[in-house]
Amino acid sequence: MPSGALRPVGWMSYLGSKVLLMSRHTPDRPVNMESFFPELLPFRRESVRLHPRPGSPTCKDSSVGGPLLWPAAEPWPVCREEHYDDSMNSTSQPQPAAPMVPIVQIHRADAPGIPFPEGKDLLQVLWCPYSHGEFCYPLPQVHWRDCSAVGDVLPTPEPAAELPRNWYPGPCVVHPEQVTEYPSWDLSDELRDVLRDRFDALSGETGLLYSYHLAAAPGIKLGGYPGWTQDPVWPDCEGCGSRMDHLLTVSSWEFDGESWRTWLPDEDRTDENEWGGQRWDGPAHNPAGLCLGDAGGVYIFECRTCPERPIGHWFDCS
Ligand SMILES: [Zn+2]
Ligand SMILES: [Zn+2]
């Protein structure tokens, strides 16, 4: 149940001289999923919602769009692929090589349940925000590190001024929260047919739609099910041929005008709209300032079987 009114409002609450970073909590689902839909139990997955909010993370913090703990001994990655600024389709122009930009940095302690490679405790994801390839996707890189081996830190370069601004996140602190998910777009047609009558009955009674309100979390998250905007496209590993695992979804928005009803955290249920109801388009809606195509998402996958953990990626939008 929403309980924002009982919790302190704002970024931080002060308890004596100690500053407490406020966490974020997704409300409990209004229905007991596994009693209503026991068939979903084998498809249950845990994800980590990052709940980014604008802030000033340092290179030592977990962050979205913040500076990275990057070793001075390693050159900053530069994308040398053929690419375009597709932010204005009609005037798409070839763009020069550009330094990649930080997307996500997460310490293992902030990512419960996400399988880090042995000996690594930091995940770093960067991408080049220009358009690449047939589907005009940003091109990501994934780095796993051992923080204790980083040594001197290379300052994170400022993003090049000419980069398409909505295609990479502004600096945000994160409030990781583990949540349980069930397949939305990834629900098989067979199981959807089995559950259809119960989905309809629940919707008739509560107005809640399984896919929007109850299945997989929207927004930027690790693990769980990809927050697809369109039909799923799971990449296969080129090394071993098996389907890759979902590592990270970077969505443009944390929720939309429907999904906020169940996914807006308790702590953000404080803003009122002009009619005195709750706002869904307040500061929690698009904290990183992203607009990936038409409010789409970028999905990053990895093969956890092949030792070098190759990655795959996909981009879609509505
Ligand atoms: Zn590029
Ligand atoms: Zn593989």
Side-chain angles (χ1 to χ4, degrees), residues 68 70 76-77 100-104 124-128 139-143 300:
L68 303 184
W70 195 269
W76 189 265
M100 290 191 148
V101 292
I103 304 302
V104 161
Q124 294 173 329
V125 178
L126 307 89
W127 73 41
C128 170
L139 197 61
Q141 277 188 5
V142 171
H143 298 264
I300 299 176

Side-chain angles (χ1 to χ4, degrees), residues 236-242 244 302-310:
D236 290 331
C237 174
E238 287 183 9
C240 67
S242 54
M244 290 182 145
E302 59 172 354
C303 177
R304 292 174 182 151
T305 308
C306 290
E308 68 278 19
R309 282 174 91 118

Side-chain angles (χ1 to χ4, degrees), residues 143-160:
H143 298 264
W144 299 97
R145 294 195 186 281
D146 168 5
C147 290
S148 68
V150 168
D152 291 340
V153 176
L154 188 74
T156 294
E158 285 295 317

Side-chain angles (χ1 to χ4, degrees), residues 1 3 7 9 16 20 53 61 64 96 100 121 134 153 183 195 214 235 240 250 264 269 279 296 307:
M1 295 297 290
S3 57
R7 294 203 173 109
V9 175
L20 298 175
R53 299 292 182 265
D61 299 322
V64 166
M100 290 191 148
D121 57 10
E134 184 186 351
V153 176
L195 299 175
L214 303 171
C240 67
V250 179
L264 176 64
R269 293 178 183 250
R279 287 187 76 101

Side-chain angles (χ1 to χ4, degrees), residues 19-305:
V19 177
L20 298 175
L21 271 178
M22 181 179 287
S23 55
R24 291 292 188 281
H25 298 88
T26 302
D28 289 339
R29 285 181 179 76
V31 293
N32 185 324
M33 296 295 286
E34 288 168 17
S35 321
F36 268 61
F37 312 111
E39 296 89 341
L40 290 174
L41 189 55
F43 304 98
R44 171 190 187 139
R45 289 186 185 175
E46 302 298 318
S47 72
V48 178
R49 298 186 73 187
L50 295 183
H51 297 306
R53 299 292 182 265
S56 304
T58 74
C59 70
K60 293 182 176 166
D61 299 322
S62 291
S63 64
V64 166
L68 303 184
L69 192 69
W70 195 269
E74 275 181 42
W76 189 265
V78 171
C79 180
R80 302 188 189 285
E81 298 291 314
E82 183 175 289
H83 52 243
Y84 295 85
D85 176 358
D86 203 40
S87 55
M88 290 176 288
N89 286 322
S90 58
T91 58
S92 187
Q93 295 291 322
Q95 297 292 319
M100 290 191 148
V101 292
I103 304 302
V104 161
Q105 169 168 282
I106 301 291
H107 290 275
R108 186 170 57 193
D110 291 328
I114 304 301
F116 277 52
E118 202 179 331
K120 308 294 184 188
D121 57 10
L122 188 69
L123 164 65
Q124 294 173 329
V125 178
L126 307 89
W127 73 41
C128 170
Y130 286 124
S131 294
H132 305 77
E134 184 186 351
F135 297 106
C136 302
Y137 46 78
L139 197 61
Q141 277 188 5
V142 171
H143 298 264
W144 299 97
R145 294 195 186 281
D146 168 5
C147 290
S148 68
V150 168
D152 291 340
V153 176
L154 188 74
T156 294
E158 285 295 317
E162 64 274 17
L163 291 178
R165 181 59 197 90
N166 296 333
W167 284 81
Y168 63 92
C172 290
V173 296
V174 294
H175 307 85
E177 178 202 21
Q178 195 171 33
V179 297
T180 300
E181 298 190 335
Y182 306 95
S184 172
W185 291 79
D186 282 300
L187 188 67
S188 70
D189 290 344
E190 294 75 22
L191 191 48
R192 191 176 295 277
D193 286 344
V194 169
L195 299 175
R196 189 178 310 277
D197 288 348
R198 272 174 279 162
F199 287 165
D200 290 347
L202 183 70
S203 161
E205 215 169 285
T206 65
L208 296 173
L209 302 171
Y210 169 76
S211 291
Y212 265 107
H213 300 118
L214 303 171
I220 301 180
K221 63 179 175 181
L222 294 164
Y225 287 95
W228 307 110
T229 310
Q230 301 281 350
D231 285 335
V233 180
W234 289 84
D236 290 331
C237 174
E238 287 183 9
C240 67
S242 54
R243 198 175 88 165
M244 290 182 145
D245 295 299
H246 174 237
L247 174 65
L248 172 70
T249 285
V250 179
S251 296
S252 298
W253 297 345
E254 287 296 295
F255 36 79
D256 65 15
E258 256 319 312
S259 57
W260 74 271
R261 291 175 55 196
T262 48
W263 296 108
L264 176 64
D266 288 336
E267 292 80 359
D268 296 303
R269 293 178 183 250
T270 52
D271 295 331
E272 289 191 354
N273 64 28
E274 56 194 295
W275 303 284
Q278 285 176 346
R279 287 187 76 101
W280 69 273
D281 57 348
H285 167 237
N286 186 9
L290 287 167
C291 189
L292 305 167
D294 187 4
V298 173
Y299 317 100
I300 299 176
F301 304 85
E302 59 172 354
C303 177
R304 292 174 182 151
T305 308

